[in-house]
Amino acid sequence: MTAPRPRATPGGRRDVGPVNWLICRIAGRVAGTGRPPNLFLTLARSRGLFRGWLWFAGRLMPGGTLPRRETELVILRVAHLRDCRYEFDHHVRLARRAGLHDRDIERVKKGPHALGWSMREAALLIATDRLHTERDLDDETWIRLRAVLTEAECIELTMLATHYEMLATVITALRVQPDRRPGG
């Protein structure tokens, strides 16, 4: 079975402009892909929107206040729930840099009730699941979150999880293709 063709193709330097081209190249180096990520080159076709999104996204990750390990747990869980291979594969590399091990990444797929999560990690994953399925947090989930997170961290968590839900939708709808590995 062949992958669906992209609906919006990654742009080249002329399509995205010199500033966005540079941003995309730097993002590829930081992400470890060696090449500009297809997602960035696709979104950069809408030049101003791309830079606005990038600023916002960067405030959540890597610029958020939640520890990077937790941020990556949430992002991986969203990507898994949304069956967004592009997002999942991209964040596995980042998650490893943030201290997650292969067993943690496999546990993310099992969910918040898998053995081995701390109380805080389980609360983050339960909230992520609830935001995915219900688009809301029930009182029990909120109380569980507030036992381990500040109010500001709860706000950031809800924005992080729902932002990556949005991003998974964009990736899926635009049929963004996987990034080629360095040397591939």
Side-chain angles (χ1 to χ4, degrees):
M1 185 173 174
T2 60
R5 294 178 53 86
R7 291 183 170 155
T9 57
R13 185 184 327 233
R14 188 174 290 162
D15 303 311
V16 303
V19 172
N20 287 350
W21 181 256
L22 180 61
I23 291 168
C24 292
R25 292 196 45 96
I26 292 169
R29 287 192 186 113
V30 169
T33 60
R35 296 181 171 97
N38 285 336
L39 174 62
F40 279 38
L41 289 174
T42 301
L43 298 181
R45 285 182 161 281
S46 180
R47 295 177 186 195
L49 181 60
F50 171 67
R51 284 193 296 270
W53 165 76
L54 196 59
W55 185 86
F56 172 75
R59 295 293 295 164
L60 290 170
M61 194 290 296
T65 61
L66 293 172
R68 280 300 299 276
R69 174 185 165 82
E70 293 174 359
T71 299
E72 292 301 335
L73 285 174
V74 170
I75 295 168
L76 287 172
R77 185 64 181 161
V78 169
H80 173 72
L81 292 171
R82 289 296 313 270
D83 195 25
C84 186
R85 194 85 230 150
Y86 184 100
E87 194 169 73
F88 193 88
D89 290 347
H90 179 76
H91 279 277
V92 162
R93 289 188 295 272
L94 299 174
R96 286 184 179 130
R97 284 193 219 157
L100 273 80
H101 302 286
D102 289 341
R103 68 183 177 277
D104 300 318
I105 293 166
E106 284 306 308
R107 240 180 333 141
V108 165
K109 296 175 187 176
K110 294 178 183 173
H113 302 293
L115 295 177
W117 298 125
S118 70
M119 236 176 77
R120 182 175 163 112
E121 290 167 339
L124 292 167
L125 294 170
I126 288 167
T128 300
D129 281 16
R130 178 68 69 186
L131 289 166
H132 172 76
T133 58
E134 304 297 323
R135 306 287 187 258
D136 194 7
L137 296 173
D138 61 10
D139 291 339
E140 181 182 335
T141 303
W142 183 255
I143 291 167
R144 180 178 282 206
L145 277 177
R146 289 294 286 130
V148 294
L149 272 69
T150 66
E151 189 172 83
E153 288 174 323
C154 289
I155 293 167
E156 183 176 328
L157 169 65
T158 57
M159 293 186 78
L160 176 71
T162 58
H163 170 259
Y164 278 89
E165 286 275 349
M166 180 272 305
L167 197 54
T169 300
V170 170
I171 292 165
T172 301
L174 297 180
R175 312 288 192 262
V176 175
Q177 301 298 295
D179 294 321
R180 293 181 308 185
R181 298 263 190 213

